[in-house]
Amino acid sequence: MSEEIRIPFGKLTHLLLGNFKAFKRTQRIPIRPITLIYGKNNSGKSSIIQALLYAEHVRRTGQLDPSVIVKDNHRLLEGGLARLAHGRNSKHRPRFGWEWVNPGSPTGLISGRYEQELDAWELVLKAVLNGQDLIKLTDPYESCFDPSPRKKNPISPPRKHPSYLAAIANVQRWLANDLRLWTTSPETSAELREVAASFCEDLEHGRFKADIENVLFAYMTGLQFRDRSLPSPLTFRSEQQEVWDRPMLNTRVGVRGTSRLARGNEKDAMYVCELEGQSDDALTGDIKGGFEKYVEGFIGERGAHLIYKWLEDVWEHFSAPLKKLVGTIHYLGAARSRPGTLFLRDPSDLAPKGKESDRPAPPVPQHRDWIFQQSAFDQANRWLRTNKLLTGNVKLRYEELHPVETRNKDPHRASPAGVATTFSLYDRERKISLGLDEVGYGLSQFIPVLLACFARQDHYAHESAGTLLVEEPEAHIHPALQSEIGDLFIEAVTRAEYPLAHVICETHSEHLLLRIMRRIREGTLSPAKVAVLYVENLGKESIVREMPLNEKGELIRDWPGGFFEEGLREVLQ
């Protein structure tokens, strides 16, 4: 079995929110590359945005019950779990979860649901794979994060889950193939070939399940919490990790060199009968008995190792979709700042080279609402020139300020590396520079959205990564420009290089939606990439309704409560 084969990750399809802020009953909230959240004022739209910010905060800091959540100088949520619970009722346990799908998975991991319920005393975790419970754990809040490798939590691998049973069966078949390959060596005696053949038959009939599990459970000290992060909450600890990581077929069962079974190059390997740590003379006695004993041990250890790796992949499969959603977030609140002079720093200039695991922590946070990347500035200026009739023919201008090293040679007190930048606007018609506080308020609110749409939030990844959370992108701007924001969102999630994984927008703009519906009708955007949500306040709680779009870019059902019908009423009455 090739250990390089990994389970391809699925994609997140829904958030699960219950007893959280405006939502009492658990809401199953669709999430697509473009997610537009509509609703009347004070309906609960912001609760969805705050849930994502909370998830990002927990993943970044490991704090489940923070007194305050701050991101890039935004004070987002205060008061801890008591203020997150619906109705601020201590008896209500906030619930957060997500669902994912992966129809193309070759291992049968088709769909999953993960939920966490939180209160001051307990943490309840539940993972459902393919419609059946995989893991359920209730543990005291104060004790479930003990990092000690000797601590055993009240949890064990899912022995009865169909996917787990299928994995055990597949591992035995793979081991049978590897062992059968060993018997093809002309140097293998007929006696050992006969013993190996009997083991292969037993493996193919699944008779070594108990042996593999005995080793697995003996080596594992229990499934433990790695940290308080929402994604990947569980890990598997082993006192024999160094044994499992050793290529046992290469050194113990008899393969000297590299096993090529999974790569299809069997002829490139050389096989000999050799027990690890023993000379050829050690094989001169009861070769058959020694070989049988060794193969039994090999099957248990190697099989346990492969199941361990499978379990790691399964938990990564649960966590990867959420990491993609909240791993890199840029948040633009409803009221974006309007500084006179803006100093920015380009994170791509500060990005270290090398593997991601070797990279240090990201650079210091930028100004909370603004992104500076050279490529984003260049694309934004091209966009402004093309749409000069909408934006007043302005240009983004910046000036680089190279850092000045401090006299103190202490590296911890030296000025940070990279290039700082002052940012302003240039009026092409009047040929003058303007501060952000010298132009129309709408333009100063729109430019942060423009830069965020063109920015590569995760500039380490070539696939879609990063999420733009934006509230009221249409604030203070002309309806025609509101429509163009729809195209900006589409370009951000569909571009060939560094697309954003998600743009999640709380808005009241009908013009933005009409542009997206038009692009669907024209065939340039699939309705599967868009989720339109309507949050409705029922009095004591809010609910989320999906407003699906068809291939013609039309809403399949009418807006609840006559939403967006004000214009028609004004004409007819």
Side-chain angles (χ1 to χ4, degrees):
M1 176 184 176
S2 172
E3 294 180 17
E4 287 76 18
I5 297 176
R6 309 292 285 183
I7 301 173
F9 298 137
K11 63 178 181 179
L12 186 143
T13 60
H14 294 82
L15 285 180
L16 303 172
L17 288 180
N19 286 324
F20 185 93
K21 301 288 283 186
F23 306 118
K24 181 179 180 181
R25 289 172 289 177
T26 299
Q27 303 296 303
R28 187 168 176 263
I29 304 170
I31 298 294
R32 304 288 184 271
I34 298 176
T35 302
L36 304 178
I37 306 171
Y38 287 89
K40 297 179 180 178
N41 290 334
N42 198 35
S43 62
K45 301 187 301 297
S46 297
S47 294
I48 299 176
I49 301 294
Q50 290 173 347
L52 293 172
L53 292 170
Y54 171 69
E56 190 272 344
H57 168 83
V58 173
R59 182 178 182 273
R60 177 166 45 90
T61 67
Q63 298 178 9
L64 281 173
D65 190 4
S67 59
V68 61
I69 296 179
V70 178
K71 178 175 173 60
D72 298 341
N73 299 323
H74 281 281
R75 295 179 68 87
L76 303 173
L77 296 170
E78 300 186 35
L81 290 176
R83 294 179 67 91
L84 296 180
H86 175 74
R88 299 186 183 177
N89 188 332
S90 60
K91 295 181 180 180
H92 289 164
R93 177 181 293 165
R95 174 178 295 173
F96 182 88
W98 60 91
E99 296 180 4
W100 53 264
V101 297
N102 187 5
S105 171
T107 59
L109 300 183
I110 305 302
S111 64
R113 184 174 76 251
Y114 181 89
E115 298 179 65
Q116 285 191 332
E117 296 182 0
L118 312 170
D119 66 17
W121 306 107
E122 284 186 336
L123 173 65
V124 179
L125 303 175
K126 184 177 182 181
V128 177
L129 179 63
N130 298 339
Q132 296 190 37
D133 287 353
L134 184 72
I135 289 294
K136 185 173 182 180
L137 169 64
T138 301
D139 214 7
Y141 175 81
E142 296 299 331
S143 67
C144 62
F145 301 113
D146 183 354
S148 170
R150 293 181 297 276
K151 171 176 162 47
K152 292 187 178 181
N153 287 322
I155 189 171
S156 62
R159 297 191 188 203
K160 296 182 180 181
H161 195 282
S163 295
Y164 171 77
L165 296 176
I168 289 278
N170 285 335
V171 161
Q172 292 186 75
R173 285 194 291 269
W174 288 327
L175 291 176
N177 287 335
D178 276 348
L179 191 57
R180 185 175 288 108
L181 178 61
W182 176 81
T183 65
T184 62
S185 170
E187 301 180 20
T188 304
S189 68
E191 184 180 28
L192 295 184
R193 192 173 291 132
E194 180 182 354
V195 174
S198 67
F199 276 108
C200 290
E201 183 178 353
D202 288 342
L203 283 165
E204 289 173 343
H205 286 84
R207 295 169 184 163
F208 279 91
K209 177 177 179 293
D211 300 75
I212 292 173
E213 288 188 331
N214 287 339
V215 176
L216 179 68
F217 302 151
Y219 283 174
M220 290 175 58
T221 60
L223 301 184
Q224 296 206 358
F225 291 89
R226 183 171 61 217
D227 52 38
R228 302 184 182 189
S229 174
L230 282 173
S232 297
L234 302 174
T235 190
F236 305 88
R237 300 183 185 275
S238 167
E239 299 171 356
Q240 300 293 333
Q241 185 64 51
E242 70 282 356
V243 175
W244 288 0
D245 286 340
R246 185 168 56 218
M248 298 179 192
L249 269 178
N250 296 0
T251 58
R252 298 190 63 186
V253 164
V255 181
R256 180 181 293 158
T258 303
S259 174
R260 306 291 181 177
L261 177 61
R263 300 177 178 82
N265 299 320
E266 294 88 346
K267 65 181 180 180
D268 294 338
M270 181 175 69
Y271 302 88
V272 298
C273 183
E274 177 183 87
L275 296 183
E276 183 183 28
Q278 299 182 2
S279 65
D280 292 340
D281 294 338
L283 301 179
T284 60
D286 183 9
I287 297 179
K288 180 178 179 181
F291 182 67
E292 288 178 343
K293 183 178 180 181
Y294 171 73
V295 173
E296 288 177 352
F298 159 72
I299 290 172
E301 290 190 352
R302 191 61 167 175
H305 170 66
L306 295 175
I307 294 299
Y308 171 83
K309 290 296 185 182
W310 178 84
L311 288 167
E312 280 192 324
D313 276 340
V314 169
W315 283 113
E316 185 65 19
H317 206 80
F318 272 92
S319 65
L322 188 70
K323 289 179 181 177
K324 196 171 185 179
L325 179 65
V326 303
T328 307
I329 280 182
H330 183 62
Y331 169 62
L332 291 175
R336 293 172 280 283
S337 58
R338 193 180 185 230
T341 303
L342 192 60
F343 292 90
L344 300 174
R345 190 178 302 280
D346 187 348
S348 62
D349 285 345
L350 303 178
K353 307 298 181 182
K355 298 181 179 179
E356 185 172 359
S357 59
D358 299 331
R359 297 184 179 114
V364 294
Q366 305 181 75
H367 191 283
R368 67 184 191 183
D369 290 331
W370 297 77
I371 287 179
F372 172 64
Q373 289 179 1
Q374 181 66 57
S375 60
F377 259 59
D378 294 342
Q379 292 180 72
N381 272 328
R382 286 193 291 270
W383 190 94
L384 287 169
R385 192 171 190 88
T386 302
N387 296 274
K388 60 184 179 181
L389 295 180
L390 297 175
T391 57
N393 201 13
V394 296
K395 176 183 179 181
L396 308 182
R397 173 178 283 184
Y398 61 90
E399 179 182 359
E400 294 182 351
L401 300 176
H402 293 274
V404 178
E405 294 186 1
T406 60
R407 295 181 180 180
N408 191 318
K409 300 303 181 181
D410 184 351
H412 298 289
R413 299 184 62 184
S415 299
V419 177
T421 303
T422 60
F423 169 72
S424 60
L425 299 175
Y426 179 74
D427 189 316
R428 290 189 175 99
E429 297 292 340
R430 292 181 286 174
K431 297 184 175 11
I432 58 173
S433 294
L434 299 170
L436 295 172
D437 56 352
E438 296 179 308
V439 296
Y441 199 85
L443 190 60
S444 69
Q445 297 292 285
F446 169 72
I447 289 177
V449 178
L450 180 67
L451 289 173
C453 287
F454 284 122
R456 304 192 305 242
Q457 289 186 34
D458 186 344
H459 48 277
Y460 301 131
H462 290 272
E463 61 178 13
S464 59
T467 294
L468 172 60
L469 288 182
V470 55
E471 298 177 307
E472 309 295 346
E474 72 277 10
H476 304 286
I477 64 176
H478 189 274
L481 193 52
Q482 294 181 33
S483 298
E484 294 300 324
I485 293 177
D487 280 332
L488 287 172
F489 287 173
I490 294 171
E491 195 276 341
V493 301
T494 60
R495 59 190 178 221
E497 294 186 358
Y498 303 101
L500 296 182
H502 301 92
V503 174
I504 300 177
C505 172
E506 176 192 342
T507 179
H508 294 103
S509 175
E510 185 178 16
H511 301 283
L512 190 162
L513 177 59
L514 290 174
R515 176 59 58 87
I516 289 178
M517 295 168 69
R518 172 184 168 185
R519 297 308 182 211
I520 293 175
R521 185 169 61 252
E522 294 171 346
T524 58
L525 179 67
S526 168
K529 289 185 175 294
V530 181
V532 180
L533 310 178
Y534 182 79
V535 183
E536 185 175 3
N537 187 340
L538 301 181
K540 293 184 178 181
E541 64 173 325
S542 295
I543 61 173
V544 179
R545 304 182 189 273
E546 182 179 7
M547 306 296 296
L549 298 165
N550 61 22
E551 296 290 338
K552 296 181 180 179
E554 301 168 335
L555 288 170
I556 296 176
R557 62 173 65 105
D558 293 333
W559 289 101
F563 194 68
F564 280 147
E565 293 182 2
E566 291 80 3
L568 182 61
R569 285 197 297 268
E570 292 295 326
V571 171
L572 297 179
Q573 292 182 2

